[in-house]
Amino acid sequence: MLELALKGSKRYYGWIAFLLVLIGIGSTALVDQWMHGLKITGMSRDVSWGFYISQFTYLVGLAASGVMIVLPNYFHSYKTNKHMVIFGEFMAIAACIMCLLFIVVDIGQPTRMMNMIFHPTPNSILFWDMIVLNGYLFLNLLVGWTCLQADRQHLPHPQWLKPFIYISIIWAFSIHTVTAFLYQGLPGRHYWLTAILAARFLASAFCSGPAILLLVMMVTEKLTSFKMAKNAVKTLVKIIAYAMCVNMFFFALEIFTSFYSNIPGHMHPILYLFEHGSTGLVTLMWTFIAFAAISITLLVTPRFRNNYKLLPWTLGILIVATWIDKGLGLLIGGFNPTPFETITPYWPTLKELMVSMMVYSVGALIVTVLFKIATDVKQEVGHSQALACGCSTEDVCECTTEEEAPAEA
Amino acid sequence: MKNSRRTFIKLAGIAAAGLAVAPRKVLASGGQEPVKVNATAVHAKHWAMVVDTTKLHTAEAIDKLAAVCHHIHNVPKIEGKKEVKWLWHDTYAHSFPEQENPHLAEEVHERVFPLLCNHCENPPCVRVCPTKATFQRPDGIVAMDYHRCIGCRYCMAGCPYGSRSFNWGEPRLNLDLANLNPEFPTRMRGVVEKCNFCVERLAVGKMPACVEASEGAMHFGDLKDPDSEVRKVLREKFTIRRKPSAGTEPSVYYII
């Protein structure tokens, strides 16, 4: 099926070339990092993890979120999602690879990476994170590829795959839980030392991940003949709405626990993020609150939720909000205040951002190629194709019989 | 040809004789102890340190000890927040953030305290390390294998005491290469390092360098031995440890 990725329009090749240029530019910063070490980053003795690890954390959520499409399909026989499943799985593949790349660029001695395997250490959560991430990558490659291949040959999905699919659904929860455990089990880091962190991670993943996927799918619809089934989109938006509400509820629980208990260690990181930090950071954190409020308002109001002109903006706002919370604030708040109750500000350097851009571009490249293959196969077999009235062939649409003919003429 | 065969037979003869005479020596590489323990080495069930802050509480005095420590361990001098340090000083509020009160005796409040790796009985850094690059020795010392470390810095996130440093850049660029201690290795970039309770000195029967240079303000000994010097001091004086709530059971005690 890979050959499908090689035949594309000029626009497709142009986009690939653009991504390769971005990767090229970013890799110069990575080479610089290899030559001079991690001193090119903004990290320090007190803030020893930075942008790389926080991006890894955010993207694990994206990887896990595919399950929000897969689970209704397989656990609840919600077949409306059927033709979207592959995109959730392919997105997870790209996200897992980005996560692994972010870890690789973050470690000081990448050539010793295999020490994790040569000297397996089950007491370290990082060991388990490696297992679950690679496992999830493998499961999604296996399930996604096999299903798509079966579709292409007009065959039913093989029975032997079923166990792998069910395992992958459970596994999706595990990758984000284990990533939360990475933070959650550390004494002396008050912002992370909370039992609800794993739940917060999952809630935030299940709103931000599908939101990103939905945005990418909207772009895919614009560029290909693929069309999401209307009910599938509706369901996904509702999932996003619920997950975002739960996410902010969990955040409110943290605020209550910290401030009603009046325990200094628990209050300090929150006060730092929302009050004492650098102006830029404080502004960002309040932007998170404002955007979260706006996106929840837009998502829970049916009129706004069902307005597909507005939806991309709603999703965009939600992604920005969750990214500030989890892709930035979580990490900075965890390291600040430091173990000495002092503040060491952290801000990523340009080179750090360039390396991150490289990893994101690699992810975008993988998404592009995989989605190209998937949409081509869907087109070949006639799944979920757009109708002239803006419906999908999977929808029960009034216009199908009447308007199909003139559209094809 | 002939010559080489003769040489071979001769060598084989010598080898056979050697085998007959000293089979243990020949098989030594497969034996139990490839390295002999230094006869003068000092041992303990659990090493611990007691710092008498009534005697050692000025920045100058602590910096002097830090200089000794940093010199013998070839710790690079780096300014700013990417610094590497094994032993340093800080205020009461920073050293014991949970044990501060606004009406603390002024004299205590003005003291500065020597900070170093606590060599915890229950070290979180060891728990989180994914490669066993940091590990706890049977004598309680939390040690680092600089060649095993992949530089993930998980141990730094795990340490509640900020006792670990990372070599963000090439450490040798910040070392006075003409004035290195040849008896201790330098590090490479991309690995974590920290105080090691001078294991290399204990192995040859010496006390840790800071203890030796402190002129009696620091005590070092076996925490599990009721007759040891540290136990005697701990019995007689009131001591505190850093962040007891973290549950790590530090092996560094401070007499206040």
Side-chain angles (χ1 to χ4, degrees):
Chain A
M1 272 190 305
L2 269 174
E3 78 279 359
L4 291 174
L6 297 173
K7 286 173 283 178
S9 62
K10 274 206 174 120
R11 198 165 46 178
Y12 170 70
Y13 274 113
W15 171 244
I16 299 257
F18 172 69
L19 289 177
L20 288 175
V21 169
L22 288 188
I23 293 169
I25 295 171
S27 57
T28 58
L30 184 61
V31 169
D32 188 50
Q33 183 179 302
W34 282 339
M35 308 280 281
H36 298 108
L38 285 162
K39 70 174 174 191
I40 63 144
T41 68
M43 290 184 267
S44 59
R45 196 175 185 277
D46 293 332
V47 183
S48 51
W49 283 342
F51 202 69
Y52 297 152
I53 290 297
S54 65
Q55 297 321 292
F56 149 74
T57 312
Y58 191 73
L59 289 171
V60 176
L62 179 58
S65 71
V67 80
M68 284 294 108
I69 304 174
V70 184
L71 188 145
N73 185 46
Y74 288 102
F75 277 11
H76 304 287
S77 274
Y78 186 73
K79 292 300 169 196
T80 329
N81 276 2
K82 183 167 72 176
H83 294 299
M84 295 274 288
V85 165
I86 188 72
F87 295 102
E89 285 164 349
F90 278 0
M91 185 63 109
I93 292 172
C96 280
I97 291 173
M98 284 192 274
C99 289
L100 293 169
L101 284 177
F102 268 118
I103 294 183
V104 172
V105 299
D106 184 68
I107 57 181
Q109 285 290 329
T111 48
R112 292 183 188 162
M113 204 161 56
M114 296 301 277
N115 276 3
M116 299 252 295
I117 295 159
F118 296 151
H119 309 287
T121 313
N123 51 280
S124 173
I125 300 294
L126 206 53
F127 169 77
W128 292 108
D129 212 36
M130 175 197 68
I131 302 274
V132 291
L133 262 180
N134 284 299
Y136 196 59
L137 176 61
F138 166 77
L139 282 171
N140 276 288
L141 272 170
L142 179 76
V143 172
W145 203 256
T146 313
C147 285
L148 194 64
Q149 212 146 33
D151 282 347
R152 199 184 183 193
Q153 292 155 350
H154 300 276
L155 292 172
H157 294 172
Q159 278 302 313
W160 60 263
L161 205 61
K162 274 270 163 74
F164 289 100
I165 292 170
Y166 289 118
I167 291 170
S168 85
I169 291 171
I170 314 276
W171 204 285
F173 290 87
S174 84
I175 64 168
H176 222 30
T177 306
V178 172
T179 306
F181 284 175
L182 210 61
Y183 290 91
Q184 178 171 339
L186 305 179
R189 304 278 176 193
H190 299 292
Y191 196 49
W192 301 338
L193 188 68
T194 157
I196 209 168
L197 196 68
R200 265 187 79 191
F201 267 42
L202 286 170
S204 128
F206 293 154
C207 59
S208 65
I212 293 172
L213 182 64
L214 213 49
L215 274 186
V216 176
M217 290 309 298
M218 286 172 183
V219 176
T220 310
E221 279 185 342
K222 280 241 154 62
L223 299 172
T224 67
S225 58
F226 178 80
K227 183 85 191 159
M228 290 183 276
K230 277 195 171 146
N231 278 333
V233 178
K234 269 192 176 160
T235 313
L236 209 50
V237 175
K238 274 183 201 148
I239 290 173
I240 295 171
Y242 277 114
M244 186 59 179
C245 292
V246 172
N247 184 29
M248 291 315 289
F249 173 63
F250 286 169
F251 181 72
L253 295 183
E254 287 281 20
I255 302 285
F256 173 81
T257 312
S258 303
F259 287 90
Y260 194 79
S261 71
N262 202 33
I263 291 179
H266 290 277
M267 294 191 291
H268 285 163
I270 299 169
L271 287 174
Y272 172 69
L273 289 174
F274 288 94
E275 206 178 327
H276 308 312
S278 63
T279 338
L281 182 64
V282 172
T283 315
L284 273 178
M285 290 314 289
W286 283 106
T287 311
F288 147 55
I289 298 293
F291 276 23
I294 296 170
S295 63
I296 286 180
T297 315
L298 294 177
L299 282 169
V300 297
T301 321
R303 193 152 51 91
F304 296 134
R305 183 173 64 223
N306 296 325
N307 180 341
Y308 290 112
K309 284 246 155 52
L310 187 64
L311 188 60
W313 297 99
T314 312
L315 298 176
I317 290 171
L318 182 141
I319 293 166
V320 172
T322 50
W323 184 84
I324 296 173
D325 175 31
K326 204 163 118 198
L328 202 69
L330 177 91
L331 190 120
I332 297 182
F335 280 111
N336 273 313
T338 69
F340 312 102
E341 298 286 316
T342 57
I343 298 293
T344 308
Y346 165 76
W347 207 247
T349 61
L350 180 66
K351 286 175 182 171
E352 221 170 336
L353 294 176
M354 279 169 70
V355 173
S356 307
M357 175 188 77
M358 184 200 79
V359 177
Y360 272 112
S361 305
V362 172
L365 188 67
I366 295 167
V367 167
T368 308
V369 168
L370 290 180
F371 277 32
K372 168 80 168 50
I373 294 172
T375 49
D376 277 4
V377 169
K378 301 255 181 222
Q379 197 176 13
E380 265 181 40
V381 297
H383 286 158
S384 294
Q385 296 302 293
L387 297 176
C389 59
C391 290
S392 163
T393 44
E394 309 303 322
D395 288 325
V396 188
C397 223
E398 299 263 317
C399 67
T400 44
T401 45
E402 293 147 36
E403 290 180 29
E404 201 176 3
E408 285 197 345
Chain B
M1 188 69 191
K2 230 180 195 173
N3 200 17
S4 71
R5 189 192 306 156
R6 185 179 297 159
T7 325
F8 171 76
I9 291 169
K10 229 194 272 177
L11 279 174
I14 294 167
L19 262 176
V21 173
R24 287 271 328 258
K25 279 277 188 294
V26 175
L27 297 171
S29 61
Q32 300 292 312
E33 282 178 62
V35 179
K36 257 195 189 159
V37 176
N38 191 306
T40 56
V42 278
H43 303 278
K45 282 208 178 89
H46 190 99
W47 287 112
M49 181 185 276
V50 182
V51 181
D52 190 342
T53 68
T54 59
K55 289 180 188 158
L56 177 68
H57 51 73
T58 63
E60 299 78 57
I62 296 166
D63 288 351
K64 223 180 276 170
L65 304 184
V68 172
C69 164
H70 289 180
H71 173 252
I72 68 161
H73 294 115
N74 298 320
V75 176
K77 256 194 200 72
I78 300 165
E79 294 297 321
K81 57 182 194 175
K82 287 189 168 68
E83 66 188 331
V84 175
K85 52 189 182 184
W86 286 26
L87 176 65
W88 69 102
H89 72 260
D90 213 332
T91 61
Y92 183 88
H94 293 168
S95 309
F96 306 98
E98 291 163 358
Q99 295 153 80
E100 212 207 357
N101 72 59
H103 312 294
L104 199 67
E106 253 171 58
E107 184 265 323
V108 172
H109 204 245
E110 278 159 17
R111 282 182 203 169
V112 293
F113 297 80
L115 301 183
L116 64 160
C117 171
N118 281 302
H119 297 276
C120 307
E121 287 176 41
N122 182 13
C125 52
V126 171
R127 187 161 59 228
V128 300
C129 177
T131 62
K132 305 185 188 89
T134 189
F135 57 98
Q136 192 172 30
R137 291 162 36 114
D139 59 5
I141 292 177
V142 176
M144 270 296 300
D145 183 341
Y146 305 118
H147 303 279
R148 176 75 72 84
C149 176
I150 60 171
C152 69
R153 311 184 297 288
Y154 199 3
C155 56
M156 296 174 79
C159 176
Y161 307 100
S163 289
R164 294 176 157 260
S165 306
F166 182 67
N167 288 289
W168 299 98
E170 171 60 55
R172 288 154 197 148
L173 294 177
N174 296 83
L175 278 170
D176 179 6
L177 295 179
N179 198 16
L180 287 181
N181 172 17
E183 282 172 17
F184 199 82
T186 58
R187 267 75 62 197
M188 69 202 307
R189 75 158 200 244
V191 298
V192 169
E193 61 174 86
K194 64 168 194 75
C195 153
N196 65 353
F197 258 6
C198 284
V199 277
E200 80 284 359
R201 289 171 63 89
L202 297 175
V204 292
K206 294 184 199 162
M207 284 285 107
C210 55
V211 174
E212 202 175 275
S214 72
E215 291 165 0
M218 284 166 141
H219 309 274
F220 196 76
D222 191 352
L223 194 66
K224 296 279 154 76
D225 172 10
D227 303 321
S228 70
E229 187 193 343
V230 285
R231 283 289 291 274
K232 190 169 152 267
V233 182
L234 287 174
R235 249 196 310 273
E236 288 166 1
K237 298 276 170 66
F238 173 71
T239 50
I240 60 173
R241 290 185 289 177
R242 296 178 66 198
K243 293 199 185 162
S245 68
T248 62
E249 303 286 336
S251 302
V252 177
Y253 296 74
Y254 294 87
I255 299 172
I256 298 298

